[in-house]
Amino acid sequence: MSNIGKIIRVNALPPIGERETNVIYQVAEPGGATYTDYAIDVNGDLKTHAVVEGSIPVELSDKHVSISNPDLIAEGIASQADYNANTRERLTLKLDIPSVDGNAQDYPKIIGLNDNGEVAKLPAGDLGKNVANSSLTTVAGAGLTLGANWTLNTFGLYYSITGLSDVSNDSTFNTFLSQNASGRVGKTNGKQPFLSLPTTLSTAEKTAWKTAMNGGWTTATMSVASISPPIVDRANKPTWITLKGANLNLPPTSFKIELCTESSTDLNPVVVAEIPASQVQLYDNGIDLSFWFNFSTIAEGKYKIRLWNGVAYYLTGANTMLQIVNSIVPSIPPLTWTYAEYTPGSNTMIGGNSSVTYNSNPANKAYQGNDLTTVSAGKSSELFGEDDNFYLRIGINITNVQSGADNNTPFVIGLCNNADAVALSDLSVIKGRGSINYRGGGISIFPDLSSQGVTFWGIYTGEMQIIRNNGLFTISVTMNNTTRIYTKSAPVIALSLFAMIGNSPSATSASFNILEQYKF
C-alpha cells in the first residue's frame, strides 16, 4: 500500500535517515496545540511546507518562517524576517577585512577589548608604549631601527643585560662601548678611555695596577743607595755584589741586571755585560739584591748597573758605581787611640788596628738602671784622608749582657772629625746608633739620624756599612737579614773611628770590628 499523502504527527522532525518518504510530518509546537507541516519526498528530503493566507496558497517568504528559539524570541526576533533584519544591523557594525597598508597618522585608531568582551577604539599611537612591562621574545628578522635620537632614562634603577656569551678569547671582539658626559653611547677601540686612565686612578691604584700587571711584583720606582763592595778586582773568581736600595724586589720571570759603562745615560746605555739570571739572588723585601760575577774579563774602570723590573729600567748614578781594579790591597793604617771615661783610668775601652772593645766596670760608674749617662768613649787616629772615597764594613757584637732593670743603654759606632779631641759626647759625623735592652733582651740599631731602624729580641749582633763617594755618605745597618739605609752629605775632612757607650744596669761587653775597608 502506498504511503503517498500519509500524515504523521510527531513532536520533533526525525533525522534524515529515520524519516518515511512521500509523507507529511505534522510537528507539534512546544507547549501548544498547533502543528507545522513538513513534506518529505521520495528521497527523504524536506520540501517547503504549504503556506496559505486564509484559504489561498501563497509563495513562502521570510515572514512565514517562525522562530522557536526562546533566546531569540526574548530579543523580539519571532520570524526569519526579524532575524534577517537583526543580522543586517549587526553586520553593519563589523569591520571589513583590511586590504591596504596604512600608518598611525592616517589610521589613528585600533580596537581594544576588555574582560567583559566589550570593545572600544584606542589611539594607534599608544601601540607598543608599554612594551617595557611585557616579557617579550624576538623572532627571526625582528629588530629596532631608530628614526631619530632616542634616550633611555633609568632614573637610577638598575639596567642589566644578562646571558651574554663569553667572547674573552675571540679576537674579533675588540671594540668597547663608551659613553660621554651627556650619556651618549658610542663605540671605541679603547684609546681614549686608556689615555684618560692615569688621571682617573689614585697614586695607590696606579701602583696596585702596575704591580698586578707585573705578576704581583712591585713596579714602583727603583733606586740603589749603595753597592757593596763598591770596588772589586779582576781576579779569575766569582765575586758577590750586593745592592741596597728601594723597590729592588724584581719579578723572577722578567728581570735583567746589566753592567754599563761610566758614560752611559738613560737614553744611551752602553751595556758591557749582562748578569746571567742563574747568578742572581732575589729578595722580596725590596731592599736587597745580590749577584755574583767573574770580573776577570772586564776592563779596569768605573761601571754603572742597570736594572729591568719587567716594566722600566733604572740606571745607577755617579755616586753608586762599581769600580773594577787589577787588585785590591786593604789599607788599614796602624791606629792609635785616645779615650774618655766617666772615671779616668778605668780602662773600660781598648782599641786596636781594626777593632775597639768595651768591658763595663762598676769602678768607672756604678751599674744603675735607667741611667743613660755616657761612661766611655774612644777615638782612633786618622783612618781616612779628607779626599778619600771609601767603603767600610763594621761588625757589631754586644756580649755578656745580664738581665737587669729596664734600661736602653745607648751606644754609637761611626766616624768623627780627626781634628776633634775625644770626649764623653757624640763626636760622630756619620754613625750607627743603638741601644741595649736588658729586660726583654736584644738590641736596636739605627743608621745615623734615621727614624727607621732594626730591632730584634734576643739578638745582639749586626753589621754597619759606610760609603763616602764624592761628597755623599751612604750608611746601612743590618740585623737578621733586615736592612735600613740612610744617606747624607759628607764633609771634606779627615776621619777617625769613634765609639761610645752609656751606663748599664749590669755587666756588659761590646766589640766593634772592621770587617772590610777599601779606598777607591
Side-chain angles (χ1 to χ4, degrees), residues 88-310:
R88 288 189 183 96
E89 290 176 1
R90 288 180 175 274
L91 286 176
T92 61
L93 300 178
K94 301 301 180 183
L95 294 175
D96 295 332
I97 297 174
S99 60
V100 297
D101 295 329
N103 55 57
Q105 286 73 37
D106 296 333
Y107 298 86
K109 301 296 181 181
I110 59 172
I111 299 298
L113 179 70
N114 66 14
D115 292 338
N116 297 322
E118 300 168 335
V119 296
K121 293 186 291 183
L122 301 177
D126 286 345
L127 183 64
K129 282 188 176 180
N130 290 325
V131 68
N133 62 13
S134 303
S135 179
L136 305 177
T137 301
T138 61
V139 296
L144 172 65
T145 300
L146 298 187
N149 293 337
W150 191 53
T151 299
L152 173 63
N153 191 337
T154 68
F155 285 103
L157 299 174
Y158 297 152
Y159 177 64
S160 304
I161 300 176
T162 62
L164 296 176
S165 57
D166 187 351
V167 295
S168 302
N169 297 318
D170 190 333
S171 61
T172 64
F173 285 79
N174 51 20
T175 302
F176 301 89
L177 284 180
S178 188
Q179 188 179 53
N180 66 11
S182 65
R184 180 179 168 188
V185 177
K187 66 179 182 178
T188 175
N189 60 7
K191 178 172 65 177
Q192 294 304 324
F194 185 79
L195 290 175
S196 65
L197 194 61
T199 59
T200 303
L201 299 177
S202 67
T203 300
E205 289 169 335
K206 292 175 187 176
T207 300
W209 184 85
K210 290 189 295 182
T211 300
M213 289 296 290
N214 202 35
W217 296 85
T218 182
T219 57
T221 302
M222 296 175 286
S223 66
V224 175
S226 69
I227 299 176
S228 174
I231 181 171
V232 297
D233 59 30
R234 300 180 66 241
N236 187 15
K237 62 180 178 63
T239 300
W240 277 96
I241 302 296
T242 298
L243 309 184
K244 291 188 181 293
N247 303 311
L248 300 182
N249 49 330
L250 307 183
T253 58
S254 178
F255 74 91
K256 281 197 297 186
I257 301 177
E258 298 168 323
L259 199 64
C260 297
T261 62
E262 181 181 5
S263 61
S264 291
T265 64
D266 290 330
L267 296 178
N268 187 28
V270 179
V271 178
V272 174
E274 180 178 341
I275 311 303
S278 60
Q279 297 172 201
V280 178
Q281 175 64 59
L282 299 175
Y283 302 92
D284 59 9
N285 62 9
I287 296 175
D288 299 291
L289 178 60
S290 300
F291 66 88
W292 66 264
F293 191 72
N294 189 326
F295 294 95
S296 61
T297 60
I298 306 299
E300 283 189 272
K302 293 183 178 180
Y303 294 88
K304 296 178 180 178
I305 294 177
R306 191 168 79 143
L307 308 177
W308 166 252
N309 66 1

Side-chain angles (χ1 to χ4, degrees), residues 349 358 373-377 409-412 436 499-503 508 510:
M349 192 166 286
Y358 167 80
T373 305
T374 300
V375 295
S376 187
T409 297
F411 65 86
V412 166
I436 309 169
M500 76 173 199
I501 195 167
N503 196 20
T508 301

Side-chain angles (χ1 to χ4, degrees), residues 296-333:
S296 61
T297 60
I298 306 299
E300 283 189 272
K302 293 183 178 180
Y303 294 88
K304 296 178 180 178
I305 294 177
R306 191 168 79 143
L307 308 177
W308 166 252
N309 66 1
V311 174
Y313 280 105
Y314 171 80
L315 185 67
T316 60
N319 291 324
T320 46
M321 286 193 289
L322 180 66
Q323 184 170 353
I324 300 176
V325 297
N326 275 327
S327 62
I328 295 175
V329 179
S331 56
I332 301 177

